[in-house]
Amino acid sequence: MSTTGATADPLAVLGTLPGVAESVESVRKAVDRVYGHRIMRRRSNEITSEAALRASRGSAALSGADWALEEVRRRTDFSGDDEARAVGAALRLSAEAGQLLSIWRQSPLRVLARLHLVAAADSSPSVGRPRQEGEPVDEPLVELPLPNAADVSGRLEGLSQLIVAGGSAPALVTAAVVHGELLALRPFGSHNGLVARAAERIVLVASGLDPKAVCPAEVGHAELGRAAYLAALEGYVSGTPEGMAAWIAHCGKAVELGARESTAVCEALQRGAA
């Protein structure tokens, strides 16, 4: 995403693209339905915990570890194969994201570094910092052209400046751009998808759209499927108004599906079936 131009708030401009306002309004209604459920008044902590678990499962699925929810729930050892490590990383990120909300608006790059450290759980020198020229990237499910290290550094700094400056853009737009930019850049040597989806969640929560983290977009992204996810990402990377709007709409649909999932959890709790 280019952050240059005449406008001081390019994220707000994205909010004016055709169809984006409708996505923003649809997401707001879906979120309001969850927060208006009677169970949320008494058992919101349970809904938040369940949403975090389901978010982890969804994010891991998009990184190639498509486990059943009950398998994620019962497992305690995630040190086995690549799939187990991906699920473990997703669970750690869900737990960590809530601890970073107060830092996000002041130092988003610090938060991204922390997210990568948590996901990688590795002491290698490359962990927790943007990749340098010539360093490999292990992100096999995203096969788009890889920007060079200089572009990564410049675009991360531009993204950070936009977040710190704030603005009038809807939370959905900002979350979608953060998510899309991190996937496009793949700034770290590994776990970029997991980090990107965790950052999207942080934006949605920190913005106040979903303050209790009960509308897990990761669930929706997984439900929509990897093919649709990558096709929408290609639209973002194209930089065209149509492509950007399609990516934002895709992210909006994911949030709506996450909200629907938590509404179903509320209904189950109300029936005494969960």
Side-chain angles (χ1 to χ4, degrees):
M1 175 191 174
S2 173
T3 60
T4 60
T7 178
D9 191 359
L11 293 180
V13 172
L14 294 179
T16 67
L17 292 175
V20 171
E22 290 82 355
S23 293
V24 168
E25 180 61 21
S26 185
V27 165
R28 168 54 66 189
K29 289 178 179 177
V31 172
D32 286 347
R33 280 193 292 273
V34 179
Y35 279 85
H37 199 285
R38 60 185 299 181
I39 289 293
M40 282 293 294
R41 293 195 293 272
R42 296 183 287 113
R43 303 175 72 176
S44 63
N45 288 342
E46 292 176 64
I47 307 302
T48 296
S49 296
E50 187 65 19
L53 183 72
R54 295 176 185 228
S56 300
R57 194 218 73 82
S59 192
L62 288 168
S63 287
D66 193 1
W67 288 14
L69 180 63
E70 291 311 312
E71 177 69 7
V72 179
R73 197 189 302 279
R74 74 169 187 83
R75 285 283 285 266
T76 57
D77 181 9
F78 298 97
S79 61
D81 57 16
D82 288 346
E83 287 194 7
R85 286 191 289 272
V87 174
L91 287 166
R92 291 192 300 274
L93 286 172
S94 285
E96 185 72 13
Q99 311 302 313
L100 300 172
L101 299 175
S102 63
I103 306 171
W104 175 254
R105 281 293 300 272
Q106 286 73 43
S107 185
L109 297 185
R110 179 181 163 197
V111 169
L112 294 176
R114 176 62 185 168
L115 290 174
H116 188 241
L117 280 165
V118 168
D122 187 349
S123 59
S124 301
S126 61
V127 172
R129 63 155 173 80
R131 57 186 168 82
Q132 298 174 356
E133 201 61 46
E135 290 183 337
V137 174
D138 180 14
E139 200 70 44
L141 301 179
V142 179
E143 298 179 349
L144 295 168
L146 194 67
N148 62 42
D151 285 344
V152 168
S153 178
R155 287 172 61 175
L156 280 178
E157 184 59 36
L159 183 64
S160 175
Q161 290 173 4
L162 286 176
I163 293 165
V164 171
S168 59
L172 171 63
V173 172
T174 303
V177 167
V178 168
H179 185 171
E181 194 72 354
L182 292 174
L183 279 179
L185 294 176
R186 281 145 289 161
F188 302 111
S190 63
H191 299 91
N192 289 288
L194 293 171
V195 168
R197 291 184 287 275
E200 179 185 46
R201 166 177 282 235
I202 287 173
V203 175
L204 294 171
V205 174
S207 68
L209 176 64
D210 180 22
K212 295 183 183 295
V214 296
C215 301
E218 300 95 325
V219 168
H221 286 303
E223 184 173 337
L224 291 167
R226 192 181 303 158
Y229 184 67
L230 295 177
L233 176 62
E234 288 182 7
Y236 176 87
V237 171
S238 75
T240 65
E242 297 80 9
M244 298 289 284
W247 170 250
I248 294 168
H250 185 87
C251 291
K253 184 63 175 175
V255 177
E256 290 183 55
L257 291 170
R260 186 182 71 178
E261 183 93 350
S262 286
T263 300
V265 173
C266 287
E267 293 292 333
L269 287 172
Q270 186 166 281
R271 294 191 304 268

